[in-house]
Amino acid sequence: MSKKQALTEFHRGSILAAAERLFAEKGTEKTTMDDIAREAEYSKATLYVYFQSKEEIINAILLSGMVLLKRKLHEAIESQNDWFQAYDAVCQAIVRFYDENPTAYDAATGAIPLAPQSDSMQKGTADILRVSDEIEQELAAFLMRGVEAGAVRTKLPPIETVMLFWSALSGIIHTAEYRESYIQRTLQLTREEYLRHGTRMLLDSLTTHN
Amino acid sequence: MSKKQALTEFHRGSILAAAERLFAEKGTEKTTMDDIAREAEYSKATLYVYFQSKEEIINAILLSGMVLLKRKLHEAIESQNDWFQAYDAVCQAIVRFYDENPTAYDAATGAIPLAPQSDSMQKGTADILRVSDEIEQELAAFLMRGVEAGAVRTKLPPIETVMLFWSALSGIIHTAEYRESYIQRTLQLTREEYLRHGTRMLLDSLTTHN
Amino acid sequence: MSKKQALTEFHRGSILAAAERLFAEKGTEKTTMDDIAREAEYSKATLYVYFQSKEEIINAILLSGMVLLKRKLHEAIESQNDWFQAYDAVCQAIVRFYDENPTAYDAATGAIPLAPQSDSMQKGTADILRVSDEIEQELAAFLMRGVEAGAVRTKLPPIETVMLFWSALSGIIHTAEYRESYIQRTLQLTREEYLRHGTRMLLDSLTTHN
Amino acid sequence: MSKKQALTEFHRGSILAAAERLFAEKGTEKTTMDDIAREAEYSKATLYVYFQSKEEIINAILLSGMVLLKRKLHEAIESQNDWFQAYDAVCQAIVRFYDENPTAYDAATGAIPLAPQSDSMQKGTADILRVSDEIEQELAAFLMRGVEAGAVRTKLPPIETVMLFWSALSGIIHTAEYRESYIQRTLQLTREEYLRHGTRMLLDSLTTHN
DNA sequence: GATGAATGAGGGTTCATTCAT
DNA sequence: CATGAATGAACCCTCATTCAT
């Protein structure tokens, strides 16, 4: 990669990092291009040197986030031989990922609709959906490994189980985030403990003996 | 309640009904005060006679939605003697409720942060959280009934189990909504079938024999 | 017309008058909504209360201008029994009209392309073209009257002759406007004299005996 | 001219050629400096090495266009001994020129105001007006030749006749351009036929026997 | 109380121009 | 000299909110 390309990549990265912070804080909708420019310490016009539109910024964040998530999940899955330990690693990876990329995570789990497509941009969403798909495939394979190892049983097609698990966990993570103080007060639990219980509960749904 | 108060209540109701329809269709963000005024057949300024701000309208809808949800759940719980049948009724009530009040449902499950609080508004949120709490209490009681009947066992405090279940279901419902066509294509399932599988899966997590 | 409608009409008129002044001075392209708001002494947002877009303002000016022009031409044609005197009246009406509605005149003669159509706006242009057409018909009828009276002969279909005459005059008027000082200096002629000579010359092209 | 100057001239020419193509296609207003840079295959900043502003580019094009037009007209005039044939050649040259240099042509005929003068730029306009003047002189001389040959008679000073003719033709050409499809539909004429009729009509105004 | 009217404060996007290298 | 990079200033448009009647 030439020096020029590297620099461009650097600036794109700075902008995306700034946008990511703001999106995590206020959501994509309430974050303005002005906000991003200020946070990234560029002029607003400069953003348009590196991205064609706000939509492209959003999609870029979603995509890079998804790619990162995919890698993290792959690592988590490969990190442990024991299926149950791997399961814990996967859940931990997901939670950590959410902390750092909530916007991307929401897109990954379908908790938010993808940015409204302006025709010329459909490629952006297509890439996102493709990676999203790959993640599901990877998780489905992991699930099958659990089945083969006798660790879990599932009554549904693996992909469906994965999607259900995935979206259920997404809901739990959301609540843990938005209602953290409420959980603390009512249940006397930290967010981490609450999430651990959640992942346990979901694990039970996979290992049921009924 | 005086005649005057009754009239005021009537107008507030009309406005809220209109707003609710629009929020369900386009979300709170993309619904403008103009839209609401038009739908409710009032002048836009009149909206401000009955509500201090758009935020108050949103909160009022969330609140009334929660109250409605609470009643629906109560009815569902009471409708069946058999716990498992009641469980199905509860799940069905929730799904139906989401179809008609997605905004309120999201607030109820903590899937979205409550409207940004402008200080003077915290009362609005407080009411919402109170009803949210009452719903959880009701569900917790229902869960306990299941435990007593030997239908389910749970390793966690009932309230926590309810919250986890609740938020997990919320995530599943979201995905079913936003990815409906994807689910159709990939899994060959209708949204209803997918949701039924989801509620079954979550039920398994409550009845586990591990 | 109700009082309300009358007031609305008044405001629309004020805005259009302001826009017309600015369009005449700087053209439609270089006139901004801010300019119009300032000139009309409304806030910019208010413009959007009375018109949906800049395009609608432009089209409204073009349309009302065309309607006015049509009436003026009709009056001029009817004002004189003698065809040649009527011809002079027509030319004078056109010149005067241009002084007050240059933008509309340009649109009428096809000297400028109509505003780029944003689909939903095509009705606006359609109306303009229709009136433009009616004007041509009226002028064609007037031309035929001249032919019948033996005043003019024309080798081409009346409509074509009208269009050619019309656009030729348009060109002459333009030059008289933009090069007024040059004409004054070089030819020692006032704009009016120059235009009179122009209309004479064009008349010759209609009465040729070749 | 030094080698350096020659090189500068070469670059200016490349830029102007690119700008000319784009102006003809989209007009000066809708052509951006970015467009020109891309078309000329220079960096945008380089444009500012050879021209002080967009305005200077426009004026330079107008000027070179006028110079070219002058030469074309000269050639057309000299190409034929018969005055009427020369007249046709002149008209054809004008129409062709318009096709390739509409912007320059509009400036030449005074159909558009010259670029808004930013004081320091008045020299640019002065040159344009000078060539414009020379063209008029040449056409006036051609007209006189026609008078001497008995081909035409004119009641007005030659220069004035030329200006009138010139601007009338300009109007006709414009309409033929902007209303091409309308002419096709209504008159069943191609743009070329319509223009031929127009030049005939204008010729009649010069040869009148009244 | 009901509302027509008005608007301040942005929102995303574009573009001619500048300047350090 | 040539340019990559950056941006100030606009541009058209939207919307929650206010206020006189």
Side-chain angles (χ1 to χ4, degrees), chain A:
Chain A
M1 196 197 294
S2 77
K3 194 167 182 177
K4 181 179 117 185
Q5 278 177 318
L7 210 48
T8 290
E9 225 36 56
F10 172 77
H11 290 310
R12 281 180 64 102
S14 298
I15 292 167
L16 290 177
E20 206 162 355
R21 261 169 273 145
L22 294 167
F23 288 169
E25 190 187 322
K26 314 195 286 180
T28 58
E29 213 86 353
K30 299 210 167 169
T31 300
T32 72
M33 291 300 270
D34 268 301
D35 291 337
I36 299 173
R38 208 173 307 116
E39 175 81 12
E41 298 187 290
Y42 291 87
S43 95
K44 184 161 55 156
T46 303
L47 301 189
Y48 285 88
V49 172
Y50 293 102
F51 297 93
Q52 287 192 25
S53 64
K54 185 185 180 183
E55 193 182 338
E56 191 183 315
I57 292 179
I58 294 174
N59 279 338
I61 285 181
L62 298 189
L63 182 56
S64 74
M66 307 278 294
V67 170
L68 178 62
L69 176 57
K70 186 186 165 192
R71 207 180 62 229
K72 293 284 185 194
L73 289 178
H74 187 77
E75 287 169 12
I77 289 170
E78 303 291 319
S79 68
Q80 306 286 341
N81 274 322
D82 178 65
W83 194 87
F84 288 103
Q85 286 182 357
Y87 173 85
D88 282 341
V90 163
C91 290
Q92 200 175 76
I94 290 172
V95 169
R96 276 189 192 154
F97 179 79
Y98 177 79
D99 283 343
E100 290 164 22
N101 310 68
T103 310
Y105 183 73
D106 286 347
T109 57
I112 56 165
L114 266 2
Q117 290 317 324
S118 61
D119 289 356
S120 73
M121 212 59 159
Q122 293 189 338
K123 188 187 150 297
T125 345
D127 283 345
I128 293 171
L129 289 177
R130 186 173 43 71
V131 180
S132 178
D133 222 72
E134 289 167 9
I135 290 175
E136 268 165 20
Q137 297 295 339
E138 175 116 33
L139 288 176
F142 174 61
L143 183 69
M144 290 309 289
R145 200 180 105 195
V147 172
E148 280 153 24
V152 298
R153 16 196 114 184
T154 162
K155 309 158 175 168
L156 301 167
I159 281 287
E160 189 181 359
T161 303
V162 163
M163 283 188 69
L164 286 169
F165 174 87
W166 193 236
S167 50
L169 180 53
S170 166
I172 290 171
I173 288 175
H174 263 127
T175 301
E177 162 88 2
Y178 290 128
R179 294 279 152 84
E180 180 165 12
S181 65
Y182 179 81
I183 290 165
Q184 175 69 45
R185 210 175 336 110
T186 311
L187 307 177
Q188 316 277 13
L189 294 173
T190 66
R191 176 162 159 276
E192 283 68 28
E193 289 164 334
Y194 178 79
L195 286 169
R196 163 167 297 271
H197 294 173
T199 55
R200 284 280 154 217
M201 184 182 96
L202 291 179
L203 179 57
D204 284 346
S205 73
L206 301 178
T207 57
T208 179
H209 289 238
N210 294 346

Side-chain angles (χ1 to χ4, degrees), chain C:
Chain C
M1 196 197 294
S2 76
K3 195 165 180 179
K4 183 179 115 183
Q5 279 177 318
L7 208 48
T8 290
E9 226 35 58
F10 171 78
H11 289 311
R12 282 179 64 102
S14 298
I15 292 167
L16 290 177
E20 205 162 355
R21 261 170 273 143
L22 294 167
F23 288 168
E25 191 187 320
K26 314 195 286 180
T28 59
E29 212 86 352
K30 299 209 166 169
T31 299
T32 72
M33 291 301 268
D34 267 300
D35 290 338
I36 298 174
R38 207 173 308 117
E39 175 80 13
E41 297 187 291
Y42 291 86
S43 94
K44 184 163 52 161
T46 303
L47 301 189
Y48 286 89
V49 172
Y50 293 102
F51 296 93
Q52 288 191 23
S53 65
K54 185 184 180 184
E55 193 183 337
E56 190 183 315
I57 291 179
I58 293 174
N59 279 338
I61 285 181
L62 297 189
L63 182 57
S64 74
M66 307 278 294
V67 169
L68 178 62
L69 177 57
K70 185 186 166 193
R71 206 180 62 229
K72 293 283 186 195
L73 288 179
H74 187 77
E75 286 169 12
I77 288 171
E78 301 292 320
S79 69
Q80 307 284 341
N81 274 322
D82 178 65
W83 193 89
F84 289 102
Q85 288 183 354
Y87 174 85
D88 282 343
V90 163
C91 290
Q92 202 177 74
I94 290 172
V95 169
R96 278 190 189 153
F97 179 79
Y98 178 80
D99 283 345
E100 291 164 19
N101 310 67
T103 310
Y105 183 73
D106 285 347
T109 57
I112 57 166
L114 266 2
Q117 291 317 322
S118 61
D119 289 357
S120 73
M121 213 57 160
Q122 294 188 339
K123 189 188 149 297
T125 343
D127 283 344
I128 293 171
L129 289 177
R130 185 174 44 71
V131 180
S132 178
D133 221 72
E134 289 168 9
I135 289 176
E136 268 165 21
Q137 297 297 339
E138 175 117 32
L139 288 176
F142 174 61
L143 183 69
M144 288 311 289
R145 200 180 105 195
V147 172
E148 280 153 25
V152 299
R153 16 196 114 186
T154 162
K155 309 157 176 168
L156 300 167
I159 282 285
E160 189 180 359
T161 303
V162 163
M163 283 189 69
L164 286 169
F165 173 86
W166 192 237
S167 51
L169 181 55
S170 166
I172 290 171
I173 288 176
H174 262 127
T175 301
E177 162 86 2
Y178 290 127
R179 294 281 153 86
E180 181 165 11
S181 66
Y182 178 81
I183 288 165
Q184 175 69 45
R185 210 175 334 112
T186 312
L187 307 176
Q188 315 278 13
L189 292 174
T190 66
R191 176 160 159 277
E192 283 70 27
E193 289 165 334
Y194 178 79
L195 285 169
R196 163 166 298 272
H197 294 174
T199 56
R200 285 281 152 218
M201 184 181 96
L202 291 180
L203 179 57
D204 284 346
S205 73
L206 302 177
T207 56
T208 178
H209 290 238
N210 294 347

